[in-house]
């Protein structure tokens, strides 16, 4: 099929991991597809200014941290010499390689990539303002909106200053400031705060709630918080930034709340990471029947169909959690539904990973949610201090836990804090999706010595049969 031939059967608006996965699936199912995005290639926020560049920089941070830790293992390195230009070039090289690769995959599938900004004229036409200039109207049979999200900067925290960064400008890595204020102790604040701390900045995190990563289980977060005490200058909980102004050499922030001592301080740069907002504005949705909720998310059904029958919406623009892997799966569901399959988006577990050092990952039911929703659970916890592999990695403070239904012994959720938690959680996702019982996890032979054994031994803890934990019987 030639790229240009024939009318568009599926128009996908937005080329991130949700949009391009949807476009590719639709093309693989025989549809004529147009994928519209402003980027040079598909990739979206995740590849260009999110997941991928941040992970490249977090890898650098981890190597720097390990070079310090190695002193305790008998290897001493001299302090790292940081060449920001080379680091930036390396990060950008990864982004270019990946986005070019996605561009080639798009071409190979016969997807027509239209570079520009799209807007609905009605429920059957998209007008694209081409990046190269000019406009093009694309009539379509079905559309998938995958327009993503953008950093949310509340009015109280907006300031016309080159010193104020959001996640995009922070990832651009213009320089390594001497001091950095991070507003928001969530995913982005902690990941990027850790990167800048590794590059030598004195990082202060201000979080308005009583703990970092609200919503995540405290036993996991506490391990991270303890490590951050060593790498960050300060973490101020129950604290807000009440005002900011540019002064000579930095931004003066006025703090309010428990951690507001002193109440005013000057930081060379400020990173605002207090959440993201869906990109549902400016799409011409008012020219369709597509509905949005009070937070700006597009309303959809289980197939990701909007109130306008032939228009679907997926990813960040269609609701929480705003995670790339959730968008990808939704995109594939929408494409399959369009092709007439009985597809629905109904996962039992969407994994969440915070790529700090140590990493935190969880899936399915958390202990926090079980408590809030009064769901009876039994939690089986395996401390990494009892794992040989964790000891060899200098990671003995980690923990793996299973959240189990005491009656059926089904694994309802998994939580991990420690090195590689983001990789390990995949087994938890499979267990929850497959409705595994604790015995399934405990009886599956895990390779020794690996961190994956901590999942198996957590199941053993549930039955009181863990080899590496001795709990003498009472009485
Ligand atoms: P977030 O929701 O994770 O964290 C925002 C934090 O800011 C919260 O802890 C909140 O209590 C705090 N906060 C809000 N207003 C504040 C204020 N005025 N002062 C101080 N603290 C304030 O949001 P984020 O870190 O901006 O990330 C946005 C989204 O991007 C995440 O929800 C996530 O879905 C996604 N993301 C995911 C990853 C990942 O998967 N590893 C990484 C980065 C971003």
């Amino acid at each position: 099929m030639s790229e240009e031939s024939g009318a568009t059967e599926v128009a996908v608006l937005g080329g991130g991991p949700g949009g391009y996965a949807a476009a590719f699936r639709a093309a693989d199912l025989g549809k004529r597809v147009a994928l519209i995005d402003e980027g040079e290639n598909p990739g979206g926020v995740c590849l260009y200014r999110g997941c991928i560049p941040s992970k490249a920089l977090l890898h650098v941070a981890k190597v720097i941290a390990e070079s310090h830790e190695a002193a305790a293992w008998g290897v001493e390195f001299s302090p790292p010499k940081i060449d920001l230009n080379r680091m930036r070039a390396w990060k950008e090289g990864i982004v270019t390689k990946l986005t070019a690769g996605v561009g080639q995959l798009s071409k190979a599938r016969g997807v027509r990539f239209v570079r520009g900004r799209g807007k609905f004229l009605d429920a059957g036409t998209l007008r694209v303002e081409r990046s190269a200039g000019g406009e093009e109207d694309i009539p379509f049979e079905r559309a998938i909106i995958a327009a993503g999200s953008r950093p949310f900067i509340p009015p109280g925290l907006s300031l016309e200053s080159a010193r104020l960064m959001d996640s995009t400008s922070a990832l651009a890595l213009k320089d390594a400031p001497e001091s950095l204020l991070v507003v928001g102790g969530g995913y982005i604040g902690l990941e990027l705060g850790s990167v800048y701390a590794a590059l030598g900045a004195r990082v202060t995190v201000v979080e308005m709630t009583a703990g970092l990563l609200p919503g995540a289980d405290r036993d996991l977060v506490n391990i991270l918080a303890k490590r951050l005490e060593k790498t960050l200058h300060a973490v101020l909980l129950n604290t807000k930034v009440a005002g900011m102004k540019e002064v000579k050499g930095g931004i003066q922030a006025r703090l309010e709340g428990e951690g507001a001592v002193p109440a005013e301080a000057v930081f060379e740069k400020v990173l605002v990471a207090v959440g993201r907002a869906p990109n549902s504005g400016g799409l011409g949705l008012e020219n369709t029947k597509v509905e949005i909720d009070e937070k700006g998310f597009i309303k959809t059904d289980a197939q990701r169909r909007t109130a306008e029958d032939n228009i679907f919406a997926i990813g960040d623009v269609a609701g929480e959690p705003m995670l790339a892997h959730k968008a990808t799966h939704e995109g594939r569901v929408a494409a399959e539904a369009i092709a007439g399959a009985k597809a629905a988006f109904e996962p039992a577990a969407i994994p969440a990973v915070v790529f700090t050092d140590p990493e935190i990952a969880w899936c399915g039911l958390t202990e926090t949610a079980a408590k809030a929703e009064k769901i009876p659970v039994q939690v089986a916890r395996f401390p990494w201090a009892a794992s040989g592999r964790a000891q060899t990695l200098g990671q003995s403070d980690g923990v793996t836990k299973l959240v189990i239904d005491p009656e059926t012994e089904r694994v309802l959720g998994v939580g991990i804090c420690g090195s590689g938690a983001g990789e390990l959680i995949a087994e938890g996702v499979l267990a929850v999706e497959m409705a595994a019982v604790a015995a399934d996890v405990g009886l599956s032979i895990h390779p020794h010595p690996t961190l994956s054994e901590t999942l198996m031994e957590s199941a053993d803890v549930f039955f009181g049969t863990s080899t590496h934990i001795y709990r003498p019987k009472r009485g």
Side-chain angles (χ1 to χ4, degrees), residues 184 186-188 191 207-209 214 273-276 322-323 353 355:
Y187 284 73
I188 295 178
E191 289 185 0
E207 164 58 44
M208 76 176 182
T209 69
V274 298
R276 298 182 63 87
M322 293 197 245
L323 299 171
V353 183
F355 291 89

Side-chain angles (χ1 to χ4, degrees), residues 37-260:
D37 193 283
E38 285 181 288
E40 188 183 340
N41 275 304
V45 169
C46 178
L47 269 73
Y48 280 102
R49 6 172 230 289
C51 331
I52 296 298
S54 64
K55 261 71 276 172
L57 297 180
L58 279 158
H59 178 65
V60 173
K62 172 105 176 138
V63 170
I64 294 175
E66 285 188 340
S67 75
H68 295 314
E69 286 161 26
W73 314 330
V75 186
E76 288 200 27
F77 293 97
S78 39
K81 279 191 204 136
I82 292 170
D83 181 338
L84 275 188
N85 291 332
R86 264 160 64 197
M87 196 184 295
R88 205 181 301 114
W90 174 67
K91 169 197 69 137
E92 281 161 15
I94 296 166
V95 170
T96 305
K97 220 179 286 167
L98 289 176
T99 50
V102 180
Q104 279 163 10
L105 286 171
S106 177
K107 255 196 200 120
R109 287 175 151 103
V111 169
R112 184 171 169 243
F113 184 61
V114 185
R115 196 172 172 195
R117 262 190 98 74
K119 193 177 166 167
F120 289 93
L121 293 185
D122 54 47
T125 322
L126 270 164
R127 171 158 296 170
V128 180
E129 210 179 289
R130 283 175 161 278
S131 304
E135 282 178 351
E136 175 186 345
D137 286 352
I138 303 180
F140 62 83
E141 286 173 21
R142 317 281 178 91
I144 300 174
I145 306 171
S149 63
R150 63 186 184 285
F152 168 66
I153 310 273
L157 294 176
S158 69
L159 184 71
E160 273 303 316
S161 166
R163 296 182 184 277
L164 189 77
M165 303 188 287
D166 60 15
S167 57
T168 305
S169 39
L171 281 169
L173 204 66
K174 217 168 142 231
D175 50 22
E178 189 267 318
S179 61
L180 174 71
L181 171 67
V182 175
V183 189
Y187 284 73
I188 295 178
L190 297 184
E191 289 185 0
L192 291 183
S194 299
V195 166
Y196 277 93
L199 298 180
R202 268 162 56 101
V203 175
T204 301
V205 173
V206 167
E207 164 58 44
M208 76 176 182
T209 69
L212 297 172
L213 295 165
D217 282 348
R218 290 305 95 187
D219 55 342
L220 306 180
V221 175
N222 289 343
I223 298 168
L224 171 65
K226 215 162 180 189
R227 288 257 208 120
L228 291 177
E229 276 173 20
K230 292 191 201 132
T231 52
L232 303 185
H233 173 63
V235 173
L236 311 177
L237 301 175
N238 286 317
T239 307
K240 275 178 100 163
V241 174
M244 286 189 292
K245 67 173 181 207
E246 178 129 21
V247 293
K248 196 163 174 270
I251 290 178
Q252 185 170 46
R254 191 155 44 82
L255 307 180
E256 246 176 38
E258 237 170 54

